[in-house]
Amino acid sequence: MSEIEASSSASATPRPRAVRAGGTALTHSVVVEPAAPGDDELAHIPSAAFFDVDNTFMHGASSYWLARALAKHGVLSMRDIIGFAWKQASFKFRGTEHHGHISSVKTSALELVAGFPVDEMRALCEEVVDRDISPRILDPVRRLAERHLETGQEVWLVTASPVELAGLLASRLGLTGALGTIAEIENGCYTGRLVGDLMHGPAKAEGIAQLASERGLDLEQCTAYSDSANDLPMLRKVGRAIAVNPDSRLARQARHYGWTVLDYRRGRRAAKLALPAATAAGVGAGLVYLYKSRDRD
């Protein structure tokens, strides 16, 4: 079973907190800031905004930065990182990234962290969010999320990244919560298995539907944001879909359905053509960093 520990504050103004996702069908959720009990004005708002994370809320892939931190701390080897990087880059070059490919990479990663303490993973996630991910948050997208919050809507991150990482990022941003991939935990350590499915593709649509049912949200009144055609199931599940820095397939679908497109890239054609090369270059830079770090150690 997944362990998501509850924390609370004794101060007069409660701080955002995570609560255990158990006892309901919500196996993928971390609630960061639930509606205040008895606050009818907030409790009966039936809508939310759902944001993909990688290349939507931030530049790049959140899991890459976590993998780099795991390698730096000796949890993953250079061979592991190179293997993951090669798979990711080859999928990008061929344009064949889909649930099966993503799942194979994540499954390999899960097996490698089997036995790793959850507390240490959470500490690593704090390090990664504060040092690597926060500076890469897209300010225009952050402002969009803040506007949703200002109107009384819930705001959720929805990502294939580990729920520990996603929940912490949501907390740092002051959002309502996060839906992420949950790794099974026993005796305070990871088992190398998943709880439920990878939060990717159709699972995102199923996840927000579960969340809507649990929290009384009207999906027709909800908004979803993503950069990738992999998230079309989620985008089609809500009343308002918005493409952010879309890949070519999602851009076509957005035109077909008349969805809003927000492009914060500089030179859209250049960005599109440079994506595979940038992915490979980013991987290469990360590997050089790791080699240098090990030499210094």
Side-chain angles (χ1 to χ4, degrees):
M1 292 296 293
S2 169
E3 295 179 3
I4 302 175
E5 296 175 353
S7 64
S8 60
S9 170
S11 61
T13 302
R15 292 181 297 180
R17 65 185 189 279
V19 301
R20 184 185 178 98
T24 72
L26 276 178
T27 57
H28 292 285
S29 73
V30 172
V31 179
V32 175
E33 196 171 336
D39 190 338
D40 294 337
E41 183 180 355
L42 289 177
H44 292 94
I45 291 174
S47 59
F50 304 104
F51 287 84
D52 171 51
V53 174
D54 296 351
N55 293 312
T56 301
F57 219 106
M58 64 171 286
H59 288 293
S62 53
S63 291
Y64 163 74
W65 296 104
L66 180 58
R68 197 177 83 157
L70 287 166
K72 183 180 178 182
H73 287 267
V75 182
L76 301 182
S77 68
M78 288 303 302
R79 183 175 181 178
D80 299 328
I81 293 293
I82 291 170
F84 297 151
W86 174 252
K87 284 184 180 181
Q88 295 273 29
S90 65
F91 299 157
K92 290 290 186 183
F93 274 113
R94 295 199 306 267
T96 57
E97 184 179 18
H98 58 63
H99 183 78
H101 292 141
I102 297 293
S103 183
S104 70
V105 174
K106 297 283 185 179
T107 298
S108 299
L110 279 168
E111 292 171 351
L112 290 167
V113 299
F116 190 66
V118 177
D119 288 345
E120 292 185 32
M121 178 66 79
R122 289 173 180 158
L124 272 181
C125 286
E126 289 191 16
E127 176 185 319
V128 169
V129 167
D130 294 338
R131 183 193 61 210
D132 302 315
I133 294 179
S134 291
R136 291 170 173 83
I137 296 295
L138 285 165
D139 286 335
V141 182
R142 183 205 292 260
R143 288 194 292 271
L144 285 171
E146 290 171 350
R147 286 179 203 154
H148 282 286
L149 291 170
E150 288 166 1
T151 63
Q153 293 179 306
E154 297 185 1
V155 176
W156 292 80
L157 300 179
V158 187
T159 176
S161 294
V163 73
E164 292 86 355
L165 187 67
L168 180 62
L169 179 58
S171 180
R172 289 288 197 269
L173 292 168
L175 308 182
T176 311
L179 305 184
T181 299
I182 290 182
E184 185 181 67
I185 298 167
E186 288 182 359
N187 301 319
C189 297
Y190 293 103
T191 67
R193 298 183 294 271
L194 284 179
V195 174
D197 196 9
L198 188 75
M199 185 58 71
H200 183 266
K204 285 190 177 182
E206 295 167 7
I208 67 171
Q210 280 186 294
L211 186 71
S213 175
E214 290 291 328
R215 297 180 71 83
L217 304 173
D218 181 356
L219 287 176
E220 283 299 313
Q221 302 300 317
C222 292
T223 307
Y225 298 81
S226 179
D227 73 300
S228 173
N230 291 323
D231 288 338
L232 281 169
M234 177 177 72
L235 294 169
R236 291 170 178 156
K237 198 81 173 175
V238 297
R240 186 184 182 205
I242 297 179
V244 180
N245 302 333
D247 60 26
S248 57
R249 185 177 163 215
L250 179 56
R252 289 194 300 270
Q253 291 293 307
R255 287 194 296 270
H256 175 75
Y257 288 107
W259 294 341
T260 298
V261 175
L262 303 175
D263 203 321
Y264 302 116
R265 296 168 294 195
R266 295 178 181 176
R268 283 194 275 178
R269 179 170 176 76
K272 185 190 301 181
L273 294 174
L275 179 59
T279 300
V283 168
L287 294 177
V288 169
Y289 171 87
L290 289 173
Y291 276 121
K292 288 183 177 179
S293 295
R294 291 202 167 188
D295 288 343
R296 287 195 300 267
D297 296 339

